[in-house]
Amino acid sequence: MKIKTEKNNRSASLRVDKKTHRKICTRTDDVFQGIPLKKPVARKVVENVEIAKIPKKNLNIAESQRDLQEKRVESMRESWNEALGVIHVSESKEKNGYNYYVPDGQHRAYANPNEACVCIIHKEDPHIIFLKANDPSTCKSLTWDDRFWANLYGGEKKAIELFEKLSAKGLCSKRINRSKEGDFSGIGNIFKILSNIKATPKKRGRKSEQQKIQDERRSQEEKIKRFDYLFELVFSLFDPKDFQKSNKQELKGSTSGYQTIWSSFATFINNNTVWSQLPKSNKQGVKNFKQNFKNECGMKLTPTSLCGHASSEVTQSKYARDVIVDMLKAAFQIETKTKKGLL
């Protein structure tokens, strides 16, 4: 049974082995055509691990995998690393020949710019390999804390500069699982914001290579300005010591560096309309925010009190982040257009 899909001319098929009644669902397209081979592919064996180079046209993408994410493929393609592009295939001898299914590594396979993929060969069914490769009891996805420390110890500029900026504020950054009372354990959350900070969209149209380079440089400069503004705004409103880890019951948010505050401020700064209206100095906005908070809540502004207030205002249509963003807009007198008018 074969079902055609519109995207990239892909089709999904269900193949049934009549002898074993085994069903293997596959996804093929113009590149991964699933053409069987008459003989097993040539391979090398290293410590019982079989490695082969298989043309893409002879590979089937197993449908037992999760749906393909195009953005993830593009990201891999932009920073392609041959050594990290190895995929896993399941070899199956069937009536039409030797078939090779990809149960793990579909994104790497699609991102691979070469006509063939380096593969590790398995004898088990594709869905078995997929489940083993993604078993949460043996595999753990990278957290942003993991990403930050890997980048820091790898000597990446962004990570080093962020570590130094927090150190200059008197915060001693530590891995979450190693942090103790008085440390700062939220650097991974801030690194995520730094990595995802946005810039004003570039103007469309045909451009020379020089113009593209200039646009990219301006974009990077603006991203740095936005993050620096966000960073200083947070520490203009709060004492850095408020972000130190504490095991006190009433300061639970400090164990992760108050992620709600950082994500709310990032949402605020990443809004292009907001960014275009922000003053160079945040002093008046900071003053307004503190005064507004005191008038509305009757208490001193701290990370704990702000998060507590935001949580109490949550509704079915508004998250804690939205509450804080609205407070920032009011303090900085930001006007944003909606279909109904101005907010």
Side-chain angles (χ1 to χ4, degrees), residues 26-187:
T26 61
R27 184 169 62 247
T28 57
D29 54 29
D30 296 337
V31 179
F32 296 92
Q33 300 175 41
I35 300 173
L37 295 171
K38 292 182 179 179
K39 296 180 180 180
V41 69
R43 67 203 69 192
K44 291 184 179 180
V45 181
V46 180
E47 294 292 335
N48 295 323
V49 177
E50 298 181 6
I51 304 172
K53 188 176 181 181
I54 306 177
K56 290 180 178 178
K57 67 180 181 180
N58 300 118
L59 293 173
N60 295 276
I61 305 297
E63 270 289 283
S64 53
Q65 292 204 56
R66 287 164 286 206
D67 288 342
L68 187 74
Q69 297 176 350
E70 302 287 351
K71 288 185 178 179
R72 189 175 169 195
V73 172
E74 285 301 319
S75 179
M76 287 183 176
R77 189 174 289 141
E78 288 172 5
S79 56
W80 178 249
N81 185 314
E82 201 74 42
L84 295 176
V86 177
I87 64 173
H88 295 261
V89 301
S90 177
E91 182 182 66
S92 176
K93 183 180 179 181
E94 298 168 17
K95 190 175 181 179
N96 63 350
Y98 287 85
N99 285 280
Y100 294 89
Y101 305 98
V102 181
D104 184 64
Q106 64 168 326
H107 291 88
R108 298 192 294 277
Y110 274 101
N112 193 329
N114 305 308
E115 292 184 2
C117 296
V118 176
C119 311
I120 294 175
I121 299 176
H122 300 263
K123 302 298 184 182
E124 296 170 289
D125 285 353
H127 75 284
I128 298 296
I129 301 301
F130 169 77
L131 292 172
K132 284 184 176 181
N134 295 281
D135 185 349
S137 66
T138 57
C139 305
K140 182 182 177 183
S141 59
L142 285 176
T143 65
W144 277 98
D145 196 57
D146 296 328
R147 293 171 190 240
F148 168 75
W149 292 103
N151 276 276
L152 180 71
Y153 290 121
E156 295 294 337
K157 184 180 178 182
K158 280 186 178 180
I160 293 171
E161 289 179 348
L162 178 57
F163 185 87
E164 291 176 345
K165 282 170 77 75
L166 286 164
S167 296
K169 296 292 183 183
L171 290 173
C172 178
S173 300
K174 293 288 181 67
R175 290 180 185 266
I176 289 177
N177 62 337
R178 297 182 190 175
S179 61
K180 57 184 185 298
E181 190 90 10
D183 290 335
F184 178 65
S185 56
I187 196 166

